[in-house]
Structure formats: structure tokens, C-alpha cells
Amino acid sequence: MKFNEDVLWNQLQDVRGFTLDVCDSVDEGQVHDVPKGFNNSILWNVGHIILDQDMWFHYLIADDSEVPADYAKFFGYGTSPATWDAAPPSWTELMERLRAQPDQLRNKFTGRLEEPLLRESELGMSTIGEVIPRTLYHEWYHLGYIQSIRRCLSVSSVG
């Protein structure tokens, strides 16, 4: 299958733009707060978005990751701030990575979207290009949590 690479990269950049807009409006003093009814914080969700996208682009083709290895213990599936035994990356570091990641991926993987995955993946995906839509819906999912947490924290700080 031939991909229109510009369309996919533009979609990735567009979704990340929405995420950045929301995160730029977050009160940095609340990024570690976990409201009642939630398992994770805004900081965790941002770190998870970064880690997940990196893993989908790198792990499934056995390529070198762009994020530090310790991100998995903070932001991997099944983790939460309640289980952290060390200080996570700072909000500033995460925001820098969030901003830089789309261009890093585009620069590294342009011309490689038809490259086959070396590991079995869910949903029958078999190329790098096929994982991009999956990372986008995953980011939207966590962006929804970020927005919900932000709303809960705003309501609780007013009331």
C-alpha cells in the first residue's frame, strides 16, 4: 500500500497541536494532582502519550528509542503516580519532548512508512505507516483524560 506521507505527517502534527494547546493551558501547579475517580495525573498522561508513540515507531521495528528508558517505569501501561518510587521527568522536559516528537519522527521515518514491522502487532498492522493512525487515536483518548482532569481540578479549586 502506498501512503501519502504528507497527509499522515500533517495529521500527526495536527493532533499534537491540539494536545499542545490543551497542555499549554494547564496550571503547572496541578500537573501532579490525581482527582478522585482517576488513576493518573495530567503529567502521567502526557508522558504516556510520548512513550506510546515512541514505542509504536521504534519497538516494533527494533530501532533505537528517542525517549529515555526510564520513561517506561513512569508512563508505561499499568503504571501510575501511586507506584512511582522516584521523581518523574519534569513538566518542562515532557512539554519539550511533546513539542519536538512529531518533527523527530517525521525526520527519522519519512520514506520509511512502508517498512515492515519486525514484531507482531495488534489489529493486523504490518508497516510503520499503518501504526500512525493508531498512535493518533491513542493520543486523542489520553487528551480526553487530560481535559477531564483539568476540568475536575478547576471545579475542585473553585468549590
Side-chain angles (χ1 to χ4, degrees):
M1 165 192 282
K2 182 71 177 143
F3 294 99
N4 182 333
E5 289 197 27
D6 287 337
V7 170
L8 289 173
W9 294 123
N10 290 343
Q11 289 174 357
L12 189 144
Q13 191 67 53
D14 191 51
V15 169
R16 186 54 56 89
F18 282 107
T19 302
L20 287 166
D21 286 347
V22 170
C23 290
D24 284 338
S25 71
V26 166
D27 177 351
E28 189 174 342
Q30 295 181 323
V31 299
H32 292 281
D33 296 347
V34 179
K36 184 176 180 163
F38 291 85
N39 295 323
N40 293 304
S41 63
I42 291 172
L43 185 121
W44 182 92
N45 278 278
V46 169
H48 184 72
I49 288 168
I50 294 164
L51 177 66
D52 181 80
Q53 192 159 68
D54 184 82
M55 287 178 60
W56 275 97
F57 274 87
H58 295 92
Y59 175 74
L60 292 172
I61 61 166
D63 202 342
D64 291 334
S65 173
E66 298 290 328
V67 301
D70 69 345
Y71 272 44
K73 75 178 182 180
F74 294 112
F75 309 119
Y77 180 79
T79 63
S80 81
T83 65
W84 294 347
D85 59 1
S90 71
W91 179 247
T92 300
E93 177 183 330
L94 292 178
M95 289 302 293
E96 287 171 3
R97 287 192 185 280
L98 198 66
R99 283 185 209 296
Q101 191 174 41
D103 287 336
Q104 288 173 338
L105 293 172
R106 186 175 197 155
N107 292 337
K108 187 173 187 178
F109 291 102
T110 291
R112 297 176 62 188
L113 295 188
E114 294 190 49
E115 188 174 316
L117 303 177
L118 301 177
R119 306 174 199 273
E120 191 172 313
S121 71
E122 62 189 52
L123 304 174
M125 293 176 280
S126 61
T127 66
I128 293 172
E130 290 172 353
V131 304
I132 292 176
R134 188 260 174 224
T135 68
L136 298 182
Y137 76 70
H138 180 266
E139 184 162 337
W140 274 115
Y141 176 80
H142 285 279
L143 178 57
Y145 271 102
I146 292 167
Q147 291 172 308
S148 296
I149 291 169
R150 187 180 64 173
R151 276 192 294 276
C152 284
L153 293 174
S154 294
V155 168
S156 66
S157 67
V158 172

